[in-house]
C-alpha cells in the first residue's frame, strides 16, 4: 500500500505545494543517507519542479479537457465492442443468458456514466464568506479565503477546497467534500465492469482467436456455436477473413486495455477504500503518516480526530443518513454527503456539530 500511495502522489503531485514539499522531503531523507553523496537539494528541487509547475499552470485546463474526452471515448469504445462482438456470440448460445448479461452490464454502465458525470459537474466545495462563518479564524496564505479544518488550496483551481483529497486530471476537477463519493463509486464500478468483461469476454476472445484464417478448409472441420455444429465453410461465408482479422485485433486491444485499467484502478480503489476506512483523505494520509511515526517514537499511539470507526466512516462518506440505506450505493443517487464540509465532530466533543 505504501508503494501505491507514493506512485499515486507522484502522478498528482501538483495538488498542493504542501504535498510537493512533503514528497521531496521524504526523497531527500532517503537519498541523503547515502554516504559521500553531496547534493544541492534546493537547486535540484527548483530545477525539476519549476518547469513542471509552469506546464501545469499554463496547460492544466486544456489537458484536463483532453483527459475527460478520452474517458468518454474509452467508455464508448469498450461498450461498442461488447455490442459488436460479444452480443452476437452469446445470443447464439442462449437468448436468456444474453438478456441477463445485457441487464447486468447496463446496470454497471449506468452507474459508471452517472457517477463520472456527477463527479465532473459537482463542485467539490469551497469555503463560505468570512461573514457566514465568523468562528473560523484561519486564513489561506494564497487566496486569503477562510480556511476551515481539512481544507487545502489547489494550485490548479486556484481556490481552497473543502476536505480536499486531490486534483484529478481525469475529471479536470478537484475531488473534495461534495464529489468524493461520486469519484470513488465511479472507480469502483469501472473495476466491477472490467471484472465483468474479463469473465464473460474470455470465451469471446478464445472463440475469435480459434477461428482459422484459411480460405479453404481441409477435411470437414466444424465450429460449435453453443447449440449447433456448423461447418467452418459456413462460418467463413458469414465472416470474411478480413472481418475476422479486424474482430480479432479489436478483441485483443480491448483485453489489453481492460487489463491495464483493472490493474491501475483496482489498486487505486483499494487504497482509497483503506483511507476511507481510516477517516482520511489522500492529503491527510501524508500528514498523518509523519504524526504516526512521531507518536510511535514517543511510545504513544496517534489518534485521528476524524476517525469514527470503519463502519461509521463509510456511512459518513457515502452520506447514509436521514433514512438513506445502502441501496443509494447500488443505484444512482444525487444525495449530498453528511455534513457541510466546514465543521467536523471530534471523538471527544460530539456536541461540536451534528451531521445532517
Amino acid at each position: 500500500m505504501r508503494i501505491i500511495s507514493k506512485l499515486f502522489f507522484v502522478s498528482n503531485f501538483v495538488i498542493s505545494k504542501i504535498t510537493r514539499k512533503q514528497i521531496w522531503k521524504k526523497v531527500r531523507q532517503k537519498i541523503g543517507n547515502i554516504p559521500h553523496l553531496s547534493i544541492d537539494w534546493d537547486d535540484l528541487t527548483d530545477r525539476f519542479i519549476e518547469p513542471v509547475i509552469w506546464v501545469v499552470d499554463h496547460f492544466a485546463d486544456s489537458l484536463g479537457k483532453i483527459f475527460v474526452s478520452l474517458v468518454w471515448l474509452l467508455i464508448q469504445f469498450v461498450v461498442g465492442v461488447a455490442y459488436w462482438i460479444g452480443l452476437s456470440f452469446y445470443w447464439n448460445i442462449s437468448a436468456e443468458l444474453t438478456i441477463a448479461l445485457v441487464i447486468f452490464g447496463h446496470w454497471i454502465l449506468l452507474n459508471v456514466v452517472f457517477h463520472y458525470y456527477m463527479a465532473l459537474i459537482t463542485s467539490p466545495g469551497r469555503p463560505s464568506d468570512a461573514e457566514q462563518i465568523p468562528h473560523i479564524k484561519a486564513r489561506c496564505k494564497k487566496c486569503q479565503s477562510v480556511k476551515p479544518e481539512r481544507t487545502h488550496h489547489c494550485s490548479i483551481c486556484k481556490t481552497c477546497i473543502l476536505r480536499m483529497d486531490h486534483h484529478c486530471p481525469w475529471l479536470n476537477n478537484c475531488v473534495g467534500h461534495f464529489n468524493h463519493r461520486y469519484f470513488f463509486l465511479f472507480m469502483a464500478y469501472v473495476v466491477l465492469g472490467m471484472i465483468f468483461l474479463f469473465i464473460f469476454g474470455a470465451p469471446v476472445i478464445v472463440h475469435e482467436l480459434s477461428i482459422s484464417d484459411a480460405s479453404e478448409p481441409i477435411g470437414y472441420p466444424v465450429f460449435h456455436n453453443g447449440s449447433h455444429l456448423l461447418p467452418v465453410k459456413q462460418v467463413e461465408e458469414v465472416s470474411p477473413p478480413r472481418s475476422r482479422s479486424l474482430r480479432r485485433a479489436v478483441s485483443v486491444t480491448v483485453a489489453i486495455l481492460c487489463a491495464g485499467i483493472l490493474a491501475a484502478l483496482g489498486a487505486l480503489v483499494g487504497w482509497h477504500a483503506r483511507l476511507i476506512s481510516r477517516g482520511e483523505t489522500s492529503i491527510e494520509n501524508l500528514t498523518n503518516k509523519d504524526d504516526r511515526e512521531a507518536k510511535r517514537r514517543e511510545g504513544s499511539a496517534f489518534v485521528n480526530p476524524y476517525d469514527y470507526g470503519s463502519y461509521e466512516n463509510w456511512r459518513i462518506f457515502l452520506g447514509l443518513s436521514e433514512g438513506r440505506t445502502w441501496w443509494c450505493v447500488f443505484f444512482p443517487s444525487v444525495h449530498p454527503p453528511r455534513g457541510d464540509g466546514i465543521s467536523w465532530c471530534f471523538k471527544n466533543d460530539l456536541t461540536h456539530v451534528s451531521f445532517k
Side-chain angles (χ1 to χ4, degrees):
M1 284 300 181
R2 291 185 177 180
I3 296 176
I4 296 173
S5 173
K6 291 179 181 178
L7 288 175
F8 176 73
F9 273 100
V10 168
S11 63
N12 294 281
F13 70 94
V14 294
I15 56 177
S16 67
K17 186 172 290 184
I18 295 177
T19 303
R20 292 197 298 269
K21 288 182 177 179
Q22 290 173 337
I23 294 174
W24 273 104
K25 180 181 177 181
K26 294 287 186 181
V27 174
R28 291 167 64 173
Q29 289 175 346
K30 295 293 183 182
I31 302 180
N33 294 329
I34 301 176
H36 310 297
L37 185 61
S38 176
I39 298 177
D40 186 347
W41 285 108
D42 292 333
D43 181 67
L44 180 62
T45 301
D46 291 341
R47 288 178 181 272
F48 178 76
I49 293 246
E50 286 182 0
V52 178
I53 294 177
W54 183 88
V55 171
V56 171
D57 289 341
H58 288 78
F59 301 104
D61 186 58
S62 300
L63 291 175
K65 293 177 181 177
I66 294 174
F67 289 153
V68 170
S69 299
L70 285 176
V71 172
W72 288 120
L73 289 174
L74 283 174
I75 294 174
Q76 296 178 52
F77 174 65
V78 172
V79 173
V81 172
Y83 267 102
W84 174 36
I85 300 177
L87 192 62
S88 59
F89 173 82
Y90 278 102
W91 186 261
N92 289 329
I93 296 177
S94 170
E96 293 78 9
L97 175 60
T98 304
I99 293 173
L101 293 178
V102 168
I103 293 175
F104 186 75
H106 278 78
W107 168 71
I108 297 176
L109 178 61
L110 173 64
N111 278 288
V112 169
V113 173
F114 169 80
H115 287 105
Y116 184 67
Y117 178 73
M118 292 303 297
L120 281 174
I121 66 171
T122 303
S123 171
R126 294 172 175 81
S128 306
D129 295 334
E131 294 77 13
Q132 299 179 4
I133 45 177
H135 61 285
I136 306 284
K137 303 302 182 182
R139 294 292 186 272
C140 176
K141 295 180 180 179
K142 299 177 182 178
C143 62
Q144 305 304 317
S145 69
V146 181
K147 194 172 184 180
E149 305 169 50
R150 314 186 79 178
T151 299
H152 297 275
H153 185 88
C154 176
S155 59
I156 297 177
C157 298
K158 293 179 173 47
T159 185
C160 281
I161 304 297
L162 297 176
R163 199 175 64 83
M164 179 177 175
D165 189 86
H166 69 285
H167 183 93
C168 179
W170 298 100
L171 290 177
N172 195 27
N173 194 10
C174 269
V175 176
H177 180 65
F178 290 101
N179 66 347
H180 196 174
R181 176 176 67 91
Y182 296 127
F183 167 76
F184 177 80
L185 289 180
F186 160 69
M187 294 193 302
Y189 277 109
V190 168
V191 170
L192 179 62
M194 295 300 101
I195 296 174
F196 171 77
L197 288 176
F198 267 108
I199 293 175
F200 294 100
V204 179
I205 295 178
V206 171
H207 163 61
E208 292 296 330
L209 295 178
S210 63
I211 299 179
S212 173
D213 282 330
S215 59
E216 293 294 335
I218 301 175
Y220 298 94
V222 294
F223 164 70
H224 187 266
N225 72 343
S227 59
H228 300 85
L229 291 175
L230 301 177
V232 172
K233 185 174 182 180
Q234 179 179 346
V235 176
E236 290 178 345
E237 290 174 355
V238 176
S239 301
R242 180 174 298 179
S243 175
R244 287 201 308 273
S245 298
L246 177 60
R247 290 164 63 96
R248 183 179 303 169
V250 171
S251 299
V252 173
T253 300
V254 170
I256 296 174
L257 186 64
C258 290
I261 294 174
L262 179 60
L265 284 188
L268 200 55
V269 166
W271 184 59
H272 271 274
R274 178 171 174 263
L275 295 182
I276 295 169
S277 298
R278 293 163 55 171
E280 294 179 333
T281 64
S282 298
I283 295 177
E284 290 169 351
N285 177 62
L286 286 180
T287 57
N288 290 348
K289 189 178 297 183
D290 294 335
D291 294 338
R292 284 191 182 93
E293 181 63 23
K295 290 291 185 180
R296 186 190 64 81
R297 288 195 296 265
E298 295 174 0
S300 58
F302 170 77
V303 178
N304 178 13
Y306 310 113
D307 183 5
Y308 304 95
S310 296
Y311 181 76
E312 191 61 24
N313 287 339
W314 277 101
R315 288 182 56 83
I316 293 172
F317 176 78
L318 297 172
L320 301 182
S321 60
E322 299 181 353
R324 302 188 190 100
T325 65
W326 290 91
W327 288 106
C328 296
V329 179
F330 300 115
F331 294 95
S333 175
V334 295
H335 69 273
R338 290 172 66 177
D340 55 10
I342 296 176
S343 300
W344 299 91
C345 279
F346 290 89
K347 283 184 174 181
N348 298 324
D349 186 18
L350 296 180
T351 62
H352 182 67
V353 64
S354 59
F355 283 116
K356 298 179 181 179

